[in-house]
Amino acid sequence: MKNLFNQSNRLEILNRIDKLNENSKAQWGKMNVYQMTKHCSIWDEWVLGKNSPIYKQEFFGRIFGKMALKSNVKDDRPMKKNMPAGKAFTIKEKEGNVDTQKIIWMDLVAEYEHFSNPAFIHDFFGKMTDEQIGILAYKHADHHLRQFDI
């Protein structure tokens, strides 16, 4: 299964991110390319433990999270289109420097090579193994790159 801890999978994602530009158009969803790259950067910062995040599983996640996690990491199927972004990961600003945001995102993706965040708790899925985190991180990046046909 593809995951961001695997060097070739990480390089694949980095190469795909590099293909984005300010003219990249979404095939679905509400985010433009700037919002998507910023969303993904903030999401990866959260997973990597940047900026001292507070981890807490939501109520519905405690009920359904483990079952949903197993379904999401059991195979290489991509994430479904139009999945809602969590409130903490919704980007309101419509414009910004796409090239700068790409560099920030690519630097964060590269950090998965040395991942170490035992405190991480997904807000819906709850506590995850490193393998599950790597798979979900790959699928999250892949989902948004597919959104822009990259």
Side-chain angles (χ1 to χ4, degrees), residues 1-6 9 69-77 131-132 134-136 138-139:
M1 294 243 291
K2 292 186 174 186
N3 73 73
L4 279 189
F5 301 139
N6 175 285
N9 296 159
L69 175 62
K70 287 179 185 175
S71 174
N72 276 283
V73 299
K74 70 180 179 182
D75 55 37
D76 279 329
R77 270 182 305 144
E131 179 183 15
Q132 291 168 329
I135 293 167
L136 188 65
Y138 175 89
K139 284 189 172 201

Side-chain angles (χ1 to χ4, degrees), residues 12-24 33 98-99 102 106 145 148-150:
E12 171 209 328
I13 293 297
L14 291 169
N15 288 329
R16 290 169 65 192
I17 294 169
D18 195 44
K19 292 178 184 175
L20 292 166
N21 63 62
E22 65 276 352
N23 298 316
S24 298
V33 67
V98 172
D99 288 332
K102 279 175 39 179
M106 291 171 76
L145 291 165
F148 285 81
D149 204 23
I150 302 285

Side-chain angles (χ1 to χ4, degrees), residues 3-45:
N3 73 73
L4 279 189
F5 301 139
N6 175 285
Q7 183 178 6
S8 64
N9 296 159
R10 209 169 38 255
L11 289 173
E12 171 209 328
I13 293 297
L14 291 169
N15 288 329
R16 290 169 65 192
I17 294 169
D18 195 44
K19 292 178 184 175
L20 292 166
N21 63 62
E22 65 276 352
N23 298 316
S24 298
K25 300 288 183 225
Q27 307 299 305
W28 74 82
K30 298 177 182 175
M31 289 188 266
N32 65 34
V33 67
Y34 170 75
Q35 290 171 312
M36 181 275 285
T37 54
K38 184 152 185 159
H39 160 83
C40 289
S41 295
I42 291 170
W43 192 87
D44 283 323
E45 285 177 345

Side-chain angles (χ1 to χ4, degrees), residues 87-104:
K87 291 176 188 171
F89 308 108
T90 301
I91 308 304
K92 293 184 172 117
E93 67 223 43
K94 300 263 185 223
E95 295 181 20
N97 188 311
V98 172
D99 288 332
T100 299
Q101 201 56 54
K102 279 175 39 179
I103 291 167
I104 292 167

Side-chain angles (χ1 to χ4, degrees), residues 122-136:
H122 191 278
D123 56 354
F124 185 76
F125 299 134
K127 192 74 176 153
M128 300 169 62
T129 67
D130 282 359
E131 179 183 15
Q132 291 168 329
I133 292 168
I135 293 167
L136 188 65

